[in-house]
Amino acid sequence: MASFLEFEKPIAELEARIIELRTTANVGDIDIDGEIDKLEQRAAKMLADSYAKLTPWQKTQVARHPERPHFKDYVAGMFDDFMPLAGDRAFADDQAMLGGFATLGDRRVMVIGHEKGDDTASRVRHNFGMAKPEGYRKAIRLMQLADRFGLPVVTLVDTSGAFPGVQAEERGQAEAIARSTEQCLALGVPMVAAVVGEGGSGGAVALAAANRVLMFEHAVYSVISPEGCASILWRTADKASDAATAMQVTAQHLLALGVIDRIVPEPLGGAHREPAVAAANLAAAIGEELDALSGMNADALRTDRADKFLAIGA
């Protein structure tokens, strides 16, 4: 059974009616195909109209949709020959941060990203995509490995933020995030980052200081969650909708501000409705960006990265 968001309730009711009519048609002799076609057209129009005017808060809800594809889904749908690599060679293997060698089209790459999980057990195992210091140190190790072998780096960002627990702080969370960001900027190979769901705070930037930063059209990217911002400014998370609007967290806002470089279209109704189409769109966009960067040497790539981030807000 598909999950519907609060603003999708009218669409949910219409789709439930369509399912009910189909069941009736299957068990009886009544021909109601015409009525079903009309309802399907109406539902499609409602969906298109609704997603054409999403507010920043509604886009945040879509980015967090429980059925939205995550790292493992994109790896399965976009890459071949994925060879996962584990551990930071210092403390542990953080399951919130996954990565390894893979093939994108005919190009060998290093792919790294946050994994949130898709059910209760896997979400707990992957810590809801909130990486600890060992996760970012694993990412650093994989980026250094890619640099050594001349492989482009592709990162898929999807986290509400780095894990804020006491143990993570004791193991140097801020330092690990800073060094991961530093490693992104120091790479002598092309790097393309894609925000596929939530891009939250430094936990996202640590994988997104890339030559090209892409975002799905219904993804969000911000320094703090709307709820966190509302709690600070208004002392209540109930103002999260206002905070999302004020922070300009959407791909459309961020493209205009120069924070990201490209918006990747999603299927109508969000990536969760047609994950294969979303993955194909993302693979094509990343491939095009890597092609454009392929002629640049190591110094040019570093300079390009530095210029890009220094220009933000100038």
Side-chain angles (χ1 to χ4, degrees):
M1 184 72 178
S3 297
F4 290 90
L5 301 169
E6 184 68 26
F7 67 86
E8 294 178 313
K9 279 189 174 179
I11 302 167
E13 292 170 0
L14 202 53
E15 292 194 3
R17 176 60 178 157
I18 292 169
I19 293 171
E20 183 182 335
L21 285 175
R22 280 180 177 155
T23 303
T24 302
N26 289 336
V27 298
D29 296 328
I30 305 173
D31 184 6
I32 54 175
D33 289 345
E35 181 66 21
I36 291 174
D37 287 343
K38 288 179 183 178
L39 289 176
E40 286 178 336
Q41 291 172 18
R42 185 179 165 194
K45 185 177 186 307
M46 287 177 67
L47 188 65
D49 291 345
S50 177
Y51 273 77
K53 55 183 180 182
L54 292 181
T55 67
W57 178 238
Q58 288 171 334
K59 280 185 177 286
T60 302
Q61 293 176 292
V62 175
R64 295 172 175 173
H65 196 287
E67 295 173 3
R68 193 172 178 88
H70 299 304
F71 180 83
K72 287 185 175 180
D73 301 304
Y74 290 116
V75 166
M78 294 168 52
F79 299 93
D80 296 316
D81 307 319
F82 178 60
M83 180 186 295
L85 299 172
D88 66 343
R89 299 295 186 267
F91 183 79
D93 181 38
D94 188 352
Q95 287 294 298
M97 185 77 72
L98 303 180
F101 296 114
T103 303
L104 179 65
D106 58 357
R107 180 186 283 110
R108 196 70 171 155
V109 301
M110 179 70 76
V111 58
I112 308 167
H114 303 95
E115 172 59 50
K116 284 185 170 181
D118 52 15
D119 56 30
T120 302
S122 64
R123 285 171 188 147
V124 171
R125 184 169 68 255
H126 294 290
N127 202 33
F128 300 87
M130 296 185 293
K132 299 172 184 176
E134 51 270 26
Y136 291 103
R137 290 175 181 136
K138 173 164 68 173
I140 293 168
R141 183 175 76 82
L142 299 190
M143 284 189 272
Q144 290 173 341
L145 191 61
D147 209 2
R148 191 177 310 146
F149 288 101
L151 299 177
V153 175
V154 175
T155 59
L156 305 181
V157 178
D158 189 12
T159 181
S160 58
F163 184 62
V166 173
Q167 291 178 334
E169 296 297 335
E170 289 174 344
R171 294 199 295 274
Q173 182 71 289
E175 183 263 355
I177 290 171
R179 291 200 179 277
S180 183
T181 306
E182 178 186 42
Q183 183 59 57
C184 291
L185 294 170
L187 284 172
V189 293
M191 181 178 181
V192 175
V195 182
V196 297
E198 284 186 277
S201 192
V205 174
L207 289 189
N211 294 96
R212 299 291 181 270
V213 181
L214 285 52
M215 271 184 80
F216 266 131
E217 65 174 304
H218 301 312
V220 292
Y221 191 19
S222 62
V223 70
I224 190 173
S225 70
E227 296 92 335
C229 177
S231 295
I232 292 171
L233 294 181
W234 294 289
R235 299 288 190 267
T236 173
D238 294 340
K239 293 279 191 177
S241 176
D242 295 333
T245 300
M247 289 195 298
Q248 300 190 356
V249 301
T250 70
Q252 294 73 20
H253 282 125
L254 296 170
L255 181 65
L257 291 169
V259 174
I260 66 167
D261 303 290
R262 179 171 179 170
I263 297 174
V264 180
E266 296 187 32
L268 180 60
H272 57 281
R273 285 183 174 262
E274 294 185 75
V277 174
N281 291 348
L282 184 59
I286 292 174
E288 289 171 8
E289 297 299 339
L290 289 175
D291 286 342
L293 295 167
S294 62
M296 300 172 69
N297 62 30
D299 288 338
L301 288 165
R302 294 187 190 101
T303 300
D304 173 77
R305 234 173 270 134
D307 290 345
K308 170 185 168 55
F309 287 93
L310 289 171
I312 293 175

